[in-house]
Amino acid sequence: GQQVMQIPQYQHVQEGEDFTTYCNSSTTLSNIQWYKQRPGGHPVFLIQLVKSGEVKKQKRLTFQFGEAKKNSSLHITATQTTDVGTYFCAPAPKANSGGSNYKLTFGKGTLLTVNP
Amino acid sequence: DSGVTQTPKHLITATGQRVTLRCSPRSGDLSVYWYQQSLDQGLQFLIQYYNGEERAKGNILERFSAQQFPDLHSELNLSSLELGDSALYFCASSVAGTGRTDTQYFGPGTRLTVL
C-alpha cells in the first residue's frame, strides 16, 4: 500500500527564519492537499495541488508538487508566531494504484514552533 | 468557524463503556468523514459516509461503528472502550463524495478520555 513520509517531524525556528516541510510518497499521486492545525484546534485546508511541477503561493507560503508527482513541499518565508502549528500533507494515490477513490490519507505532520 | 459542529466537546468514561459522538456537517455538504487523532498515530481516517451510505473505510475497529442519518448528521459509536481509545475524534464534511479531491472542513473535535 501507499507509504507517506512527512519530514521533519518537528521544527523549531526563530521568528523571521524560513521553514520547509516535505511530504514523500512511495507511489505516484493523483493530487495532494495541505492542511494546518493550530495548537488546540482542528485541521484547516490550505491548498490542493494537482499538476506535475505545480507551484502555488499564498502570501508567505509556497507549495510545490514534484515533477514525478511523488513528493511535495511547503515553504514558509520569514516565519511569524502565527505560523505555529502542525502542517499535514494529505496525498491521494492514483486510482489505478489500488488506492481507494475516496480515501484521503494524512501524513503524521510537521509541528512548527516559532520563537519570537 | 468551519460550520461543522461536534458534540460533546469532552467525554470522560470508563473502560468497557460505550459512547456516541455526534457530528453535523456544513449546510449543503453530503459527505461526512471521521478521524481519530492521537499523539503517536497522527490523523487516522476511520470512515466516510456520503448521502447516508458508507463510501470508504479506513482503520476502523470492529468495536466502532458509524452511520449517517437522513438529515445528514452522523454518529460514531465506540463500544467496549479501552484505554488506547483515548484520543481526539474529528468529524469533517465536504460537498461531494470524492474524499481524495474534495476540500474537507473539520469540526472542533471531541476529546475522549477513557479511564
Side-chain angles (χ1 to χ4, degrees):
Chain A
Q2 180 194 22
Q3 302 282 334
V4 175
M5 183 172 291
Q6 202 173 339
I7 52 172
Q9 202 173 349
Y10 307 97
Q11 184 79 60
H12 178 74
V13 299
Q14 281 295 125
E15 190 171 23
E17 290 182 341
D18 291 357
F19 158 77
T20 305
T21 174
Y22 301 90
C23 184
N24 301 310
S25 169
S26 57
T27 58
T28 304
L29 302 172
S30 164
N31 58 278
I32 190 165
Q33 297 182 6
W34 285 90
Y35 288 76
K36 175 185 176 182
Q37 184 177 17
R38 288 205 159 100
H42 57 271
V44 174
F45 175 80
L46 293 176
I47 209 155
Q48 176 168 260
L49 303 171
V50 179
K51 298 177 187 173
S52 166
E54 189 170 14
V55 177
K56 284 189 176 179
K57 292 193 175 188
Q58 288 179 354
K59 295 183 181 176
R60 294 178 294 103
L61 277 60
T62 302
F63 302 84
Q64 284 191 293
F65 203 6
E67 293 290 341
K69 297 184 78 172
K70 280 189 166 186
N71 51 63
S72 180
S73 65
L74 157 58
H75 179 82
I76 302 179
T77 304
T79 53
Q80 299 175 359
T81 54
T82 52
D83 297 323
V84 164
T86 302
Y87 292 85
F88 292 97
C89 66
K94 290 184 77 168
N96 62 5
S97 65
S100 162
N101 283 329
Y102 308 109
K103 197 170 76 173
L104 199 63
T105 303
F106 283 77
K108 290 202 170 180
T110 296
L111 172 60
L112 170 67
T113 55
V114 179
N115 201 27
Chain B
D1 182 9
S2 65
V4 178
T5 59
Q6 285 187 252
T7 55
K9 275 191 172 178
H10 303 277
L11 202 46
I12 301 174
T13 189
T15 54
Q17 294 299 303
R18 173 191 166 93
V19 296
T20 297
L21 312 184
R22 184 189 166 103
C23 167
S24 290
R26 289 187 329 151
S27 176
D29 285 359
L30 298 178
S31 268
V32 169
Y33 311 78
W34 286 98
Y35 292 89
Q36 179 192 58
Q37 186 173 45
S38 54
L39 282 173
D40 56 343
Q41 290 295 320
L43 204 57
Q44 296 284 316
F45 168 73
L46 296 178
I47 198 163
Q48 177 201 359
Y49 279 83
Y50 174 71
N51 206 18
E53 299 206 354
E54 183 184 304
R55 177 144 286 189
K57 221 166 186 175
N59 303 318
I60 188 165
L61 300 172
E62 283 191 17
R63 301 183 285 109
F64 296 1
S65 65
Q67 58 184 132
Q68 186 179 28
F69 296 86
D71 67 352
L72 301 176
H73 90 270
S74 178
E75 291 181 357
L76 178 67
N77 300 296
L78 315 175
S79 62
S80 303
L81 285 168
E82 302 174 359
L83 295 177
D85 297 327
S86 295
L88 200 49
Y89 290 84
F90 285 108
C91 163
S93 73
S94 70
V95 171
T98 47
R100 289 151 47 91
T101 55
D102 284 354
T103 298
Q104 294 186 29
Y105 297 88
F106 283 76
T110 293
R111 180 166 295 284
L112 173 67
T113 304
V114 182
L115 301 175

